[in-house]
Amino acid sequence: MTDLLTVENLTHIYSPGTPFEKKALSDVSFSIGESEMTAVIGQTGRGKSTLIQHLNGILKPTSGRVLIHGEDIRSDKRLLRAARFAVGLVFQYPEYQLFEETVLKDISFGPKNMGLSNEETERRALEAAQIVGLSEDDLSKSPFELSGGQKRRVAIAGILAMEPQLLVLDEPTAGLDPRGREQIIGYIKNYREKHRTSVIFVTHSMEDAAENAQRLIVLHRGSILMQGTPFEVFERAEELKSAGLGVPKVCEVISELRSRGINLKTAFTPEAAASVIKGARARD
Amino acid sequence: MTNITLGQYLPGTSPLHRMDPRTKLCSLFIFIIALFMAKGPASYGLCVLFTAFAAILSQVKLKLILRSLRAIIFIVLFTAALNLLYTPGEEIFKVWIFTVTREGARIACAMAVRIILLVAQSSLLTFTTSPMSLTDGLETLLSPLKKIKVPVHEFAMMMTIALRFIPTLSDETNKITSAQKARGADLESGGLIKRAKALIPILVPLFVSSFRRADELATAMECRLYRGGEGRTRLHELKYGKVDAAGYAITVIVSAGVIVLARVFGL
């Protein structure tokens, strides 16, 4: 079976042939399977946002291909439009894209563009609103009356309502307080469980990535430094550090304990670390 | 998105880049006067030489200068054609109702050269001067007008802010456009009304964010006690250097040469 999404040797150069030429991505390849949760990690300005805009065909690769179910999305116009709906892209600070008179209308914008019937549009919009925890009252308000966190949820609901096969989120929790972050991640997880959607989220928080993703892709200077399960990636802590990325705090605790002669397995979430340490104590 | 070129400024280190913006503005002004007084092949030739000299000195690629001329090619041809056909004088040949005269041909050539040089020189100015230093230059040149209560500083500040926000807003427009495209907004197809309607999802968020930015900037300026131009000093003082002396000298000599050739000798 072909993978849901495959990226092959993707290279992107901004403004080629001018003094402003800048290589943002070079030779990036990876693939995403059905209902996988993948985190893309990297420092700011390292090509993460450029990468995700290729996934639904908004940017055109300088070279390389993006395939959905094995078909190149740039091979014809119909496929390119289909890619827009197959890959739901939530941009950074998505609250700045709201424009409609009411929250409900704004959430319905995407499904409407897909050419769905009014009933289906409404059904999806209501479901998406419910998933992100918006109340009935909120739906008839103007999106500009809402608080920042609520606006963010409306914007995410606008993409969820399109029921994409692959949901891509660019730093969905940027600028939110810890509670807001937890909520947003919770909504995404709920949605994913319900619809069996694959999710890619971009983050620079190692903790978020370690706790929520099954696979990690580490971008550094526009190319993939490493990819694999969190376990495989955080095993190579030294490499991550030399790329200026760091590892989750928990990993640091474990490696500090190891350097003091305690034999411990790698763990990258607080829960796993606790059980690893408990296990070691029981053993002694 | 880093692919936004503001105006057409190309960063560089040529003598023309290093020249004070005031020098460039004044020189352009002097040259334009000379250009409009030019008469015969000799004086126009000198103008062409001067422009070529400036172009070489600027180290701007010829291709880019030609590209900026491409925009005016229609105006040049149209002006030349009108002059060619409607100037009375000694007849060269006649096709149907159109008469081409010797005077017409001469004026048509002169007009074409004049417009091309005018645009080429102005392009050289914008190629080698960043918009910021251009406003700085204008502010300093116009500062005598403060005596008659013209708020020169305020105008310059407004222009600077406007210029400063062009890349920001165009960046923002790109982002919003991409975001709406990701939601399936169709911006490319349909008739005029459909296309205009398709702009609403882009314009509304753009306006909202412009107002937000204006508000934030105003607050930030007030926090730093900005109160207009009175008693303000600058971070980058404009200073004349050797390159400016040379610039003025060459421009004045060439322009004087053009005027003398044209008006005294009629060449």
Side-chain angles (χ1 to χ4, degrees):
Chain A
M1 208 192 84
T2 51
D3 282 313
L4 172 57
L5 177 105
T6 311
V7 173
E8 281 182 359
N9 311 102
L10 188 68
T11 297
H12 190 87
I13 299 169
Y14 283 114
S15 322
T18 71
F20 304 98
E21 179 171 311
K22 198 183 156 225
K23 198 170 194 171
L25 289 176
S26 80
D27 203 20
V28 169
S29 301
F30 62 89
S31 58
I32 302 290
E34 303 281 348
S35 70
E36 246 183 350
M37 184 109 164
T38 310
V40 176
I41 333 173
Q43 285 182 313
T44 26
R46 288 287 185 266
K48 289 174 294 179
S49 300
T50 310
L51 173 64
I52 62 164
Q53 289 187 56
H54 279 284
L55 304 184
N56 69 349
I58 283 180
L59 289 181
K60 195 177 175 194
T62 309
S63 68
R65 299 195 299 167
V66 176
L67 310 163
I68 292 181
H69 292 306
E71 286 186 288
D72 185 350
I73 59 167
R74 291 234 163 240
S75 59
D76 93 54
K77 256 198 160 161
R78 191 180 47 82
L79 284 174
L80 187 61
R81 184 129 180 98
R84 292 275 156 82
F85 301 125
V87 179
L89 189 54
V90 179
F91 279 82
Q92 221 169 13
Y93 298 103
E95 52 272 31
Y96 296 134
Q97 73 189 28
L98 304 177
F99 70 97
E100 274 286 10
E101 291 157 53
T102 69
V103 169
L104 185 63
K105 274 190 185 172
D106 206 289
I107 299 177
S108 309
F109 181 66
K112 230 188 230 162
N113 286 329
M114 296 169 77
L116 298 171
S117 68
N118 284 344
E119 294 81 52
E120 179 66 5
T121 301
E122 179 151 336
R123 183 193 69 74
R124 288 187 178 195
L126 290 176
E127 194 201 316
Q130 196 216 333
I131 286 179
V132 300
L134 292 166
S135 70
E136 289 273 322
D137 293 347
D138 294 334
L139 294 180
S140 51
K141 281 187 192 161
S142 156
F144 300 107
E145 286 173 44
L146 304 178
S147 73
Q150 280 175 313
K151 280 187 201 164
R152 173 89 47 106
R153 288 190 266 156
V154 172
I156 292 176
I159 303 292
L160 295 184
M162 293 164 68
E163 301 193 350
Q165 297 163 39
L166 171 64
L167 179 64
V168 183
L169 303 112
D170 191 355
E171 306 221 8
T173 59
L176 295 180
D177 55 30
R179 209 174 125 246
R181 298 169 76 109
E182 234 164 70
Q183 279 181 335
I184 296 276
I185 290 181
Y187 299 142
I188 294 165
K189 281 183 155 173
N190 285 344
Y191 177 82
R192 180 176 158 256
E193 261 158 41
K194 204 167 166 196
H195 290 267
R196 310 293 307 147
T197 311
S198 307
V199 176
I200 299 180
F201 68 100
V202 173
T203 179
H204 55 238
S205 154
M206 288 292 162
E207 273 82 8
D208 277 359
E211 276 175 42
N212 303 304
Q214 296 153 347
R215 273 187 67 223
L216 304 182
I217 295 173
V218 182
L219 274 187
H220 184 59
R221 293 184 200 279
S223 49
I224 293 185
L225 184 68
M226 47 182 99
Q227 56 177 320
T229 63
F231 191 83
E232 288 164 352
V233 169
F234 293 125
E235 277 273 285
R236 297 158 73 182
E238 289 312 310
E239 272 176 78
L240 281 173
K241 277 188 196 160
S242 63
L245 281 161
V247 291
K249 295 258 159 33
V250 188
C251 290
E252 302 225 16
V253 172
I254 298 270
S255 71
E256 178 67 26
L257 287 171
R258 271 183 185 164
S259 71
R260 297 193 182 182
I262 301 167
N263 185 18
L264 290 173
K265 281 190 282 182
T266 303
F268 40 82
T269 61
E271 293 78 22
S275 73
V276 163
I277 293 170
K278 269 185 199 154
R281 288 183 65 179
R283 209 172 47 214
D284 293 338
Chain B
M1 242 112 296
T2 45
N3 55 348
I4 296 137
T5 47
L6 178 47
Q8 39 184 2
Y9 175 57
L10 297 165
T13 53
S14 76
L16 234 57
H17 282 87
R18 280 183 281 126
M19 208 177 268
D20 190 293
R22 289 171 295 178
T23 316
K24 285 186 263 190
L25 281 165
C26 292
S27 300
L28 181 64
F29 186 66
I30 297 168
F31 173 74
I32 289 172
I33 294 174
L35 183 60
F36 276 82
M37 293 181 77
K39 210 170 184 183
S43 47
Y44 273 113
L46 193 54
C47 289
V48 172
L49 278 180
F50 178 68
T51 309
F53 172 70
I56 292 166
L57 211 59
S58 74
Q59 292 166 8
V60 175
K61 285 193 191 110
L62 186 64
K63 206 174 77 184
L64 288 170
I65 299 174
L66 291 180
R67 195 186 295 166
S68 67
L69 290 178
R70 207 167 53 191
I72 53 138
I73 198 137
F74 175 75
I75 299 177
V76 172
L77 290 178
F78 186 71
T79 322
L82 276 187
N83 280 300
L84 192 61
L85 299 176
Y86 290 101
T87 313
E90 186 189 331
E91 186 179 312
I92 306 177
F93 61 84
K94 192 171 175 174
V95 184
W96 188 37
I97 52 164
F98 299 114
T99 321
V100 174
T101 63
R102 188 173 296 277
E103 284 76 11
R106 253 199 44 221
I107 293 179
C109 282
M111 275 311 230
V113 171
R114 201 177 270 179
I115 299 174
I116 289 172
L117 291 186
L118 201 63
V119 173
Q121 285 281 9
S122 315
S123 301
L124 281 179
L125 173 73
T126 49
F127 274 135
T128 60
T129 319
S130 77
M132 288 297 168
S133 64
L134 209 55
T135 23
D136 272 0
L138 270 178
E139 183 183 349
T140 322
L141 284 177
L142 296 180
S143 59
L145 291 180
K146 278 181 192 161
K147 296 243 163 62
I148 53 164
K149 297 261 162 81
V150 179
V152 176
H153 169 81
E154 280 70 16
F155 280 135
M157 184 53 118
M158 272 157 62
M159 219 161 123
T160 311
I161 292 175
L163 288 169
R164 159 66 185 77
F165 276 93
I166 289 171
T168 312
L169 288 180
S170 109
D171 219 27
E172 188 105 2
T173 314
N174 275 336
K175 264 189 210 153
I176 296 170
T177 310
S178 302
Q180 305 300 20
K181 272 189 188 165
R183 299 213 276 167
D186 184 7
L187 304 170
E188 280 108 29
S189 62
L192 193 64
I193 295 187
K194 194 171 166 242
R195 278 192 198 205
K197 270 192 176 160
L199 283 179
I200 293 175
I202 292 164
L203 290 181
V204 172
L206 193 61
F207 266 99
V208 171
S209 86
S210 312
F211 282 117
R212 186 175 46 86
R213 278 181 204 284
D215 217 33
E216 281 169 5
L217 182 68
T219 312
M221 285 168 86
E222 257 176 25
C223 286
R224 293 173 205 185
L225 302 180
Y226 176 78
R227 284 179 26 226
E230 212 154 309
R232 251 180 109 71
T233 53
R234 309 174 150 274
L235 177 58
H236 301 289
E237 290 284 351
L238 291 178
K239 257 195 210 127
Y240 281 129
K242 269 185 194 154
V243 89
D244 299 293
Y248 274 123
I250 295 171
T251 312
V252 170
I253 291 169
V254 170
S255 302
V258 171
I259 295 171
V260 169
L261 274 177
R263 298 292 136 170
V264 180
F265 299 103
L267 291 170

